Amino acid sequence: MKKIKIILNSVLSLCIIVSALFVPHTVCSAKEAPSFEPLVYPESAVTDFSEEMLDRVSTGADYISNCGYDESGLYVSPYWNCKISGEDVPVYAVMSYDEDENRGVLQSVATIFVEDFADGIDITLISESQIDSAVILPSRLGVFADVKDNSVSFTATKTGAYTCLINDDSLSDAVTVFVKEYTDENAQINDYINQYGEDRVKVFPAGFYEAEYIYTSDCDVIYFCRGSYVSAKHVYDVRSDEDAVALSANKAFIDIYSREDFVIDGSGTLDFNRLDRKERRPLNISLSKNCSLSGLTFINPSDWTVTVYATSDSTINDFAIFGYRTNSDAINICGCENMKITDCFARNGDDCFSVKTTNADFDARNNTFENCIGWSNKCRCFGITGEVYAPIENITFTDCDVLYRNATWDNNKVASLTVTVETGGAPINNVLFEDIEIYRDDGRAFYCTVNNGIENCKISGIVFKNVTYTSAERSKIATRQSFESGAEEFNAFIYRVLRFFLPSLEENFSHLISGNNDVEVKLENVVANGKKMNRFNLNFNVETAGNENISF
């Protein structure tokens, strides 16, 4: 027996030696980054939720229903729990809006930072109610929902914003899981310190902060660590347009003015729930160059959220905007050149991603929006919107998605994709909407028009390419917003019929159309409600109202 034990020990020792020599193995460092890290907010940033809070929200532009409240705008989601690889992940919620119900709804949100996807990250969302159907959007993520009783499971294989709609696209139960790349924050901060100097790098570690402003004149970099949460302090009561005008000269909460190479980075959250409507804009950047802004989440902005004015050669990346208040536009690029906006998400109370020229002194050109998600329950998602006081040219919206737009308060004004001249009337040239999917629009999918009363406005080179949509209403392309009489509408109908059959004689009957605006649009591989659009089914899918040039 003793000899047998000696032989067994010898064999075991030999196996260990062979394993050490020939079998690959991993040596762990003292502190390894996790496979994923959930975003956890400080408890002091979270407000107790009650259903009565939903009744505060309405569609009006008044100052009472859009006022601030003396509390944070972040809640623990009462509707969803989340498990990822068996680990509980916190699900928070922010206030949004449903036009159909004209009241507030909660948008639930979870965020994780992933170091290595390996075979994918298994995510399970567990609802408080029965789930009959579910979809994961946008479809370009290539993810399908596995529904079992009151849970939805899916596997994330890359970074992105994974939005789950359940039970016939209920807006009351929407939840989005943000899957982001894990970064070594200390290493990033040290790199910025080495580049700019320690005294020029402002850092917000994880924690809860209150501030009237975040000043930028004393730094070149602002870095927000994961779990940092900054609540803007309420200072001025705003109850009327007169109150708002009196505050119009106030600086934004973060104001970047006449700077070059300024940086905002990290993963911070800014909360404007305490501010009254138009009390302060969240983030302005103006007359600047080569700036880089990334990683911010905005909750319940009180006015235009991100306003970029007369700035060039700068980037905005990985912004998320959640809100419901009227005029809380997500990102407005105004009179800028060579801007790039990427990987941003907006579910807000007005337009999502827009280009404007609010001043005749600054043109807008060579601006690109890429891989952005728009979800407007009050207005428009992507396009040229409103003010056009200086020329706009070479604007691109590509690889973007509209999740669900149910703003139908004026189908002669709002749509998912739009080129709409409301004031000004300067020329617009070369605007491309490419590789875009509109999952659902309860109004119009796209709309190009010039408001009544504007003359000599020339819109050319508008291209919708590889656009797929489902919408309840026909899209619209029009040289005027609407007809003022039945006779005008009848004359326009006769004009379009004659132009279709007798295009070479157009000059002989052009007098039937009043006004001298031009709108030129090209449709390339546009699929409307499951059918590819062509010249023969155009009138079934597109409404016109003047002298429009539509080609394929």
Side-chain angles (χ1 to χ4, degrees):
M1 182 64 69
K2 187 176 181 180
K3 290 182 179 181
I4 293 174
K5 286 184 179 180
I6 293 173
I7 293 172
L8 289 174
N9 287 336
S10 300
V11 171
L12 180 60
S13 299
L14 181 62
C15 290
I16 294 172
I17 294 171
V18 171
S19 173
L21 290 174
F22 298 106
V23 178
H25 60 284
T26 301
V27 178
C28 295
S29 60
K31 187 177 181 181
E32 252 191 354
S35 59
F36 76 89
E37 179 181 312
L39 178 61
V40 180
Y41 285 113
E43 291 184 6
S44 52
V46 181
T47 296
D48 292 334
F49 173 75
S50 64
E51 291 287 333
E52 291 76 16
M53 293 176 175
L54 300 176
D55 295 323
R56 298 172 177 175
V57 180
S58 77
T59 190
D62 65 284
Y63 288 86
I64 302 303
S65 61
N66 289 277
C67 70
Y69 294 93
D70 189 20
E71 62 198 27
S72 294
L74 182 73
Y75 319 102
V76 172
S77 175
Y79 307 145
W80 291 97
N81 293 302
C82 180
K83 282 188 176 293
I84 299 180
S85 300
E87 180 179 334
D88 288 328
V89 170
V91 184
Y92 298 97
V94 292
M95 194 68 72
S96 189
Y97 171 76
D98 181 1
E99 183 178 273
D100 294 337
E101 301 294 332
N102 191 25
R103 73 191 298 257
V105 292
L106 287 186
Q107 164 71 52
S108 296
V109 180
T111 303
I112 61 171
F113 301 89
V114 179
E115 182 189 25
D116 184 4
F117 281 93
D119 296 326
I121 303 295
D122 295 327
I123 300 172
T124 299
L125 299 168
I126 305 161
S127 173
E128 293 296 316
S129 56
Q130 176 68 28
I131 300 176
D132 298 318
S133 63
V135 61
I136 305 296
L137 301 172
S139 65
R140 71 177 71 241
L141 291 172
V143 170
F144 297 95
D146 181 16
V147 177
K148 292 182 180 178
D149 297 325
N150 66 333
S151 71
V152 180
S153 299
F154 62 94
T155 300
T157 59
K158 55 186 175 183
T159 58
Y162 295 77
T163 294
C164 176
L165 297 180
I166 65 170
N167 299 342
D168 297 323
D169 306 331
S170 168
L171 290 176
S172 301
D173 306 286
V175 56
T176 299
V177 180
F178 289 94
V179 179
K180 302 189 177 189
E181 182 180 356
Y182 178 87
T183 56
D184 185 332
E185 293 182 331
N186 290 329
Q188 284 187 319
I189 293 168
N190 287 332
D191 286 344
Y192 284 127
I193 290 173
N194 291 334
Q195 182 177 355
Y196 292 92
E198 187 171 4
D199 61 330
R200 301 299 297 175
V201 178
K202 183 180 294 186
V203 178
F204 284 84
F208 178 78
Y209 306 85
E210 292 181 304
E212 290 185 26
Y213 299 95
I214 295 178
Y215 295 100
T216 60
S217 59
D218 58 347
C219 61
D220 298 305
V221 178
I222 303 177
Y223 194 95
F224 295 90
C225 296
R226 290 185 289 272
S228 60
Y229 193 100
V230 185
S231 177
K233 287 184 178 180
H234 171 64
V235 179
Y236 307 101
D237 291 334
V238 183
R239 294 293 183 266
S240 66
D241 288 336
E242 290 74 18
D243 291 344
V245 169
L247 295 174
S248 60
N250 276 10
K251 290 185 177 181
F253 183 69
I254 300 179
D255 189 75
I256 303 167
Y257 175 76
S258 191
R259 300 295 299 272
E260 189 167 350
D261 300 316
F262 193 87
V263 175
I264 292 178
D265 201 358
S267 300
T269 297
L270 308 179
D271 183 348
F272 300 90
N273 196 61
R274 286 182 165 86
L275 301 192
D276 285 341
R277 179 184 179 224
K278 295 190 176 182
E279 183 178 343
R280 286 196 296 287
R281 285 186 177 176
L283 171 59
N284 279 11
I285 174 170
S286 56
L287 299 169
S288 297
K289 186 176 182 180
N290 295 328
C291 297
S292 174
L293 314 177
S294 65
L296 289 180
T297 296
F298 299 82
I299 293 177
N300 200 14
S302 50
D303 202 343
W304 286 9
T305 309
V306 180
T307 306
V308 188
Y309 175 73
T311 289
S312 66
D313 304 290
S314 299
T315 61
I316 296 174
N317 176 65
D318 190 27
F319 276 14
I321 297 102
F322 297 99
Y324 63 84
R325 290 194 265 198
T326 303
N327 296 124
S328 63
D329 297 30
I331 299 178
N332 285 330
I333 305 300
C334 307
C336 298
E337 297 185 1
N338 305 318
M339 295 290 300
K340 190 164 187 179
I341 297 86
T342 56
D343 301 306
C344 292
F345 181 103
R347 185 182 183 186
N348 58 302
D350 217 294
D351 297 331
C352 294
F353 302 98
S354 301
V355 174
K356 305 170 181 280
T357 45
T358 55
N359 186 304
D361 295 330
F362 296 98
D363 297 359
R365 58 172 56 91
N366 305 327
N367 299 316
T368 299
F369 295 76
E370 183 176 351
N371 198 35
C372 293
I373 296 175
W375 186 352
S376 178
N377 297 131
K378 281 192 179 181
C379 213
R380 300 163 284 212
C381 292
F382 297 95
I384 315 300
T385 63
E387 302 90 336
V388 186
Y389 289 101
I392 296 175
E393 63 179 354
N394 300 333
I395 309 299
T396 299
F397 302 88
T398 184
D399 294 316
C400 295
D401 291 274
V402 175
L403 299 190
Y404 188 168
R405 199 190 70 87
N406 70 334
T408 57
W409 52 272
D410 189 346
N411 286 324
N412 279 324
K413 189 170 184 178
V414 298
S416 285
L417 315 178
T418 185
V419 177
T420 303
V421 181
E422 295 178 342
T423 57
I428 299 173
N429 186 40
N430 293 339
V431 179
L432 174 63
F433 298 90
E434 181 179 29
D435 296 326
I436 294 176
E437 180 179 1
I438 302 170
Y439 171 73
R440 176 172 171 174
D441 193 312
D442 289 350
R444 301 188 194 274
F446 60 81
Y447 191 7
C448 301
T449 192
V450 181
N451 271 19
N452 291 3
I454 297 176
E455 300 290 339
N456 297 307
C457 183
K458 309 301 179 185
I459 301 176
S460 60
I462 311 302
V463 178
F464 295 89
K465 182 178 181 181
N466 300 332
V467 175
T468 301
Y469 67 83
T470 299
S471 70
E473 301 289 336
R474 287 188 297 169
S475 293
K476 187 170 183 177
I477 299 171
T479 56
R480 56 189 303 159
Q481 187 180 30
S482 60
F483 294 113
E484 295 179 358
S485 69
E488 278 191 343
E489 187 169 1
F490 178 76
N491 286 343
F493 171 75
I494 296 299
Y495 166 80
R496 286 191 293 272
V497 171
L498 292 173
R499 186 176 65 178
F500 183 83
F501 289 105
L502 303 169
S504 62
L505 301 177
E506 181 176 351
E507 290 185 1
N508 296 311
F509 46 81
S510 60
H511 64 279
L512 293 171
I513 293 291
S514 59
N516 54 5
N517 298 320
D518 291 329
V519 176
E520 173 195 303
V521 175
K522 187 174 185 179
L523 307 176
E524 298 183 25
N525 191 32
V526 175
V527 178
N529 297 315
K531 294 183 179 180
K532 185 175 180 180
M533 196 182 299
N534 55 48
R535 192 175 302 279
F536 299 101
N537 65 21
L538 177 65
N539 289 335
F540 291 99
N541 295 293
V542 175
E543 178 183 334
T544 54
N547 181 25
E548 304 82 27
N549 184 356
I550 304 173
S551 62
F552 289 86

